[in-house]
Amino acid sequence: MSNKVIHAIYNDDDILMDAVKATRAAHHHIEEVYTPFPVHGLDKAMGLAPTRIAIASFLYGLVGLSVAASLMNYVMIVDWPQDIGGKPSFSFIDNMPAFVPIMFELTVFFAAHLMVITFYLRSRLWPFKAAENPDVRTTDDHFLMEVALHGNEDDLISFFKNTGAVEVKVIDKH
């Protein structure tokens, strides 16, 4: 089996969206689409599954809330209770209103930071990683659709030219 892919380059996002829909309708597998800016609805047109990062963020927020509540209970109630302003620290529940801002801040802190780390790990974005952009023009004003080559090469090239591609190249990926 060959590792050839077709790079169809477009110069308009609306033409790209129509081409993605036509490519999916023709049952060709789209490997990746490179765009210089986010294109609204492209993920649905490509048939990508919805993201689960919101669920992860909620769980990370719960971890932050648990850490904040546990830490404040241990420090302010168990380990070193203090009488601040005539309000003794007998129980966590009695002092809950004073702890709410700290619990909120640690919930947001944990959710935000762990969500960013999860995104980087899931996207395989490591420090000092070389760029995987196949064509430098996609960072400026062009759009590139990478499609796996299965079947007749000439038929696919003419198919993508008919979808409005300004340039079609066959690339051997190794």
Side-chain angles (χ1 to χ4, degrees), residues 34 123-136 138-139:
Y34 298 90
S123 301
R124 294 182 180 91
L125 293 174
W126 322 116
F128 310 110
K129 182 181 180 194
E132 295 179 3
N133 194 355
D135 194 326
V136 73
T138 61
T139 62

Side-chain angles (χ1 to χ4, degrees), residues 42-90:
L42 185 60
D43 54 342
K44 287 186 173 118
M46 289 177 63
L48 298 177
T51 181
R52 294 185 302 263
I53 199 144
I55 297 168
S57 176
F58 177 74
L59 295 175
Y60 295 151
L62 288 179
V63 169
L65 181 65
S66 301
V67 167
S70 301
L71 181 68
M72 285 186 300
N73 183 51
Y74 177 73
V75 170
M76 299 300 288
I77 306 300
V78 176
D79 186 40
W80 195 338
Q82 297 179 25
D83 187 356
I84 300 173
K87 299 177 184 174
S89 297
F90 292 129

Side-chain angles (χ1 to χ4, degrees), residues 27-45:
H27 304 293
H28 298 300
H29 178 67
I30 300 172
E31 297 282 337
E32 188 66 71
V33 175
Y34 298 90
T35 64
F37 54 84
V39 177
H40 181 70
L42 185 60
D43 54 342
K44 287 186 173 118

